Amino acid sequence: MLCYRTHLRFGQIYGFIPIQFVSLGTKSNDKHMNRLFILILTLICHCLITTAQEIEYARPVNTPESCTSIMVGKKASTDGSVMTSHTCDGNYRTWMEIVPAATYDRDTTVAIYNGRMHTEYPNDQTNVELKGNIPQARSTYQFLNTSYPCLNEKQLGIGETTISGRKELVNKNGMFMIEELEKIVLQRCSTARDAIRLMGKLVKEYGYGDSGECLTIADPNEVWIFEIFGEGPDKIGGVWAAVRIPDDHVSVSANISRISTLDLKDKDNYMASDNVFEVAKKMELWDGKEPFRFWKAYSGGNYFGEPKSFSLREFFILNSLAPSLKLAYDSEELPLSVKPDKPVAATDVMALLRATYEGTDWDTTKNLKILAKKKDSTEKDTITSPAANPWMTTDMINMLNGVKDGTVDRNRLVAVPQCSYSHVIQLRSWLPDAVGGVAWLSFDNPGQSPRIPIFSGSTALPPSFGICGQHRHRKDAAIWSFREANKLATVRWGLTKEKMQAAITHFEEKGQRELPFVESQYKEIQQAKGSEAANTFLTGYTSDFAGATMQRWEDMADEFWKMFARGF
């Protein structure tokens, strides 16, 4: 006779009901009880495995779906360029392509989609929704089709940041998402003003189905900030406003509505939908008595819930460019644009998009100090730990703050590791469009990756640019040529930072140094062999430049693996 009593003590630990088995006194019953025990144990283990599978990957602290855009007027730049920019911060597609110019027969239509920003390659239709069709133009321009389309052959450039706004404004029945509006205007427009007018017309006719968005729209002569929201649940239209940035000013948008008062009598510098005041009154977002402020009515505040039209990124960037203004963080709003203390170069914008606030009060690593022996001395000095980096995950920050509360502050950086790609677009009126417009593009974290020039006249991109690297680890996707080294570098950022920053500087200086040569070569080839041959030259230059950067970052990844071969 077998007699036993078993307690599943781990069930108590993991929150299951404690189970107690007692022999009923016969071998037959014991046999059945053993089977029952094994069955229940199997079910419990399955539950534990299922629970474990629900554990999420460690994520960066920074808001996953958020972007930064810096704008520069032509008289504020060092060379007369107009500039816009964009960090596409989030899990967006990294495949990109050059969509060629085309002509169409009468009565042709073009499909409008939702969901293409998360596909793996251009023809991927996974989770893509057809929203509707609109009449196609008789002819369309060539454009650079990034997740948020950004540059066309006529030097029309667009940056983007999601500003969300009030949830009650969203109406998903509207046809257009913001990226589809960008696509259409890049195909049909050559100036920022025309692009804004066309978007307003399309939204009024077909409706806007996205959350609040900001586009920073530029051409070789001017740059505008354009903000748009839905019209609410009862109508599928939209409400929007646009303000021209003065030629001698700079501006920034970073996920918060920035447009304030509107002087619609000044048609040279302001535009808005004809319902801009009406919708605010109807939805009780403005009483019609106090001065109207667009951001206050349609957004209400920043993403921290503060009733203000900016947060840390806007404050840091504007203060960096115009420190003499001594802007105050406790203000309700900052100026939409400011005159910089000195002219701004494209490389200055690139540097700001790399910003992690190092050396400031917002530096996330400022308290991660250790004692280290000075070189060629027995004395010790306090330095930032080599293991500290600005892009620590929530798990790491929680652990450090668990050891000592307040060790690491959670500040939203400009450069973030979840960035899909970023660009700084220069538009130059004194050059032919094909070479005058250039998008300095980088994949992955802009604080760690080099910038590759893609011109308005480039007709194709390297094959690896046409594959998204967000769905899996793919060696054939361009982003992974950079991502591997970038992620390895953060393991001991104190040891890898200088090498990586030197590589970034090398390609940045190479691009700026060679740009005059590219421009002169383009003109010579165009005159001797025609525009098609000149555009082929630009395409080849981009391909060669991209190949060099990818090889350097792949070599760095190999070096970092060797460095960490015995452990991280």
Side-chain angles (χ1 to χ4, degrees):
M1 181 184 296
L2 177 64
C3 183
Y4 62 87
R5 181 171 296 186
T6 305
H7 293 273
L8 298 183
R9 295 183 64 245
F10 63 83
Q12 294 172 320
I13 295 172
Y14 288 101
F16 296 103
I17 299 172
I19 302 173
Q20 178 174 295
F21 293 93
V22 181
S23 172
L24 298 180
T26 69
K27 289 183 178 180
S28 175
N29 285 334
D30 285 341
K31 186 176 180 181
H32 288 301
M33 291 303 295
N34 282 334
R35 289 177 177 173
L36 179 61
F37 171 74
I38 292 169
L39 175 62
I40 294 174
L41 182 61
T42 301
L43 290 171
I44 290 172
C45 289
H46 174 74
C47 291
L48 288 173
I49 292 169
T50 302
T51 302
Q53 288 173 339
E54 292 174 355
I55 295 173
E56 292 188 357
Y57 296 111
R59 294 181 179 274
V61 171
N62 305 290
T63 307
E65 308 293 329
S66 47
C67 310
T68 304
S69 179
I70 299 170
M71 297 147 273
V72 182
K74 61 185 178 182
K75 293 181 180 178
S77 66
T78 54
D79 64 351
S81 297
V82 176
M83 286 180 262
T84 186
S85 58
H86 177 207
T87 63
C88 186
D89 300 336
N91 191 37
Y92 296 98
R93 65 168 167 91
T94 60
W95 68 259
M96 54 191 70
E97 63 179 349
I98 304 292
V99 177
T103 58
Y104 299 91
D105 295 333
R106 292 185 184 277
D107 301 323
T108 303
T109 61
V110 58
I112 305 300
Y113 294 102
N114 178 26
R116 295 199 76 215
M117 291 198 296
H118 301 285
T119 50
E120 195 167 8
Y121 46 87
N123 293 326
D124 184 8
Q125 293 297 307
T126 306
N127 297 322
V128 173
E129 173 192 8
L130 176 64
K131 296 283 288 186
N133 291 275
I134 66 170
Q136 178 60 284
R138 292 299 304 278
S139 62
T140 57
Y141 297 127
Q142 172 184 289
F143 73 99
L144 175 54
N145 182 21
T146 44
S147 185
Y148 291 93
C150 65
L151 177 66
N152 76 4
E153 63 176 282
K154 293 295 184 180
Q155 294 199 70
L156 178 64
I158 305 179
E160 180 274 346
T161 78
T162 299
I163 55 177
S164 297
R166 300 183 188 275
K167 293 181 180 180
E168 60 267 33
L169 292 169
V170 178
N171 188 328
K172 293 185 178 181
N173 294 320
M175 183 184 294
F176 276 96
M177 306 298 284
I178 196 66
E179 67 275 11
E180 291 289 278
L181 282 175
E182 291 176 80
K183 178 188 78 174
I184 294 296
V185 299
L186 286 171
Q187 288 183 307
R188 302 184 184 189
C189 300
S190 58
T191 70
R193 289 175 187 265
D194 285 347
I196 292 167
R197 293 188 188 105
L198 178 55
M199 287 190 292
K201 179 181 177 182
L202 291 171
V203 164
K204 186 173 183 178
E205 186 169 355
Y206 299 102
Y208 179 70
D210 214 336
S211 61
E213 285 282 352
C214 169
L215 299 180
T216 57
I217 310 174
D219 61 39
N221 294 303
E222 59 185 1
V223 58
W224 288 70
I225 183 168
F226 166 90
E227 294 180 352
I228 183 169
F229 300 91
E231 202 170 327
D234 299 331
K235 196 169 182 181
I236 63 167
V239 58
W240 58 270
V243 179
R244 185 181 186 274
I245 304 304
D247 289 341
D248 59 350
H249 276 214
V250 296
S251 184
V252 59
S253 176
N255 306 122
I256 300 166
S257 177
R258 300 268 289 121
I259 294 176
S260 185
T261 57
L262 297 172
D263 181 5
L264 297 182
K265 293 180 181 179
D266 181 359
K267 297 185 183 300
D268 289 336
N269 295 296
Y270 294 87
M271 287 189 269
S273 55
D274 53 17
N275 61 356
V276 67
F277 304 120
E278 173 195 339
V279 172
K281 284 183 179 179
K282 177 183 174 182
M283 299 195 69
E284 299 181 348
L285 305 176
W286 175 54
D287 61 9
K289 299 176 183 177
E290 67 174 13
F292 178 82
R293 286 187 282 179
F294 186 82
W295 72 263
K296 199 166 189 178
Y298 292 108
S299 179
N302 64 25
Y303 46 78
F304 291 120
E306 300 170 314
K308 54 203 306 183
S309 66
F310 69 96
S311 191
L312 181 53
R313 279 175 288 162
E314 296 92 340
F315 180 75
F316 175 83
I317 290 169
L318 292 178
N319 262 317
S320 297
L321 294 171
S324 62
L325 295 180
K326 294 181 170 54
L327 300 172
Y329 191 77
D330 58 1
S331 305
E332 184 182 33
E333 62 180 31
L334 296 179
L336 178 61
S337 64
V338 299
K339 185 174 182 177
D341 286 4
K342 60 181 182 179
V344 178
T347 52
D348 295 326
V349 179
M350 296 174 194
L352 286 168
L353 295 185
R354 290 195 296 268
T356 60
Y357 315 137
E358 183 177 357
T360 72
D361 290 340
W362 307 294
D363 187 342
T364 56
T365 67
K366 66 182 179 182
N367 296 324
L368 302 178
K369 305 292 186 181
I370 61 169
L371 284 175
K373 183 181 175 182
K374 290 183 178 181
K375 190 176 182 180
D376 302 325
S377 172
T378 58
E379 296 181 9
K380 290 187 175 181
D381 194 10
T382 301
I383 64 168
T384 300
S385 168
N389 77 78
W391 305 293
M392 292 175 286
T393 64
T394 50
D395 291 338
M396 177 61 74
I397 290 178
N398 288 340
M399 182 178 72
L400 292 169
N401 286 336
V403 174
K404 184 179 179 182
D405 189 39
T407 299
V408 179
D409 294 329
R410 299 170 183 265
N411 292 320
R412 205 303 187 178
L413 311 178
V414 180
V416 292
Q418 69 268 25
C419 182
S420 299
Y421 66 90
S422 65
H423 58 67
V424 175
I425 294 177
Q426 280 185 278
L427 308 164
R428 299 170 295 171
S429 61
W430 62 95
L431 290 168
D433 287 334
V435 73
V438 56
W440 297 96
L441 186 133
S442 77
F443 289 97
D444 202 57
N445 186 344
Q448 296 181 291
S449 293
R451 295 203 171 271
I452 300 162
I454 302 175
F455 296 91
S456 286
S458 299
T459 56
L461 298 173
S464 60
F465 281 45
I467 300 170
C468 179
Q470 304 288 44
H471 299 258
R472 66 198 82 185
H473 179 218
R474 295 191 60 157
K475 288 285 189 180
D476 56 351
I479 191 172
W480 278 101
S481 292
F482 306 100
R483 180 173 280 169
E484 188 171 2
N486 289 351
K487 298 305 180 264
L488 284 171
T490 62
V491 174
R492 297 290 296 275
W493 185 237
L495 301 181
T496 60
K497 176 172 67 173
E498 288 186 8
K499 186 175 189 62
M500 184 159 274
Q501 289 179 340
I504 291 171
T505 300
H506 168 79
F507 285 105
E508 190 172 288
E509 291 178 350
K510 170 184 167 67
Q512 298 302 310
R513 184 175 61 250
E514 293 178 354
L515 196 57
F517 166 78
V518 173
E519 294 158 6
S520 63
Q521 280 293 105
Y522 174 85
K523 291 177 181 178
E524 287 181 19
I525 296 171
Q526 185 189 41
Q527 291 172 2
K529 300 180 180 180
S531 296
E532 185 175 344
N535 289 343
T536 298
F537 162 72
L538 295 177
T539 302
Y541 180 80
T542 292
S543 181
D544 291 345
F545 200 107
T549 63
M550 294 163 74
Q551 186 62 57
R552 176 70 69 90
W553 257 250
E554 289 167 7
D555 290 345
M556 273 198 293
D558 290 341
E559 289 184 48
F560 295 157
W561 276 120
K562 180 181 178 181
M563 184 185 297
F564 304 133
R566 291 166 180 81
F568 293 122

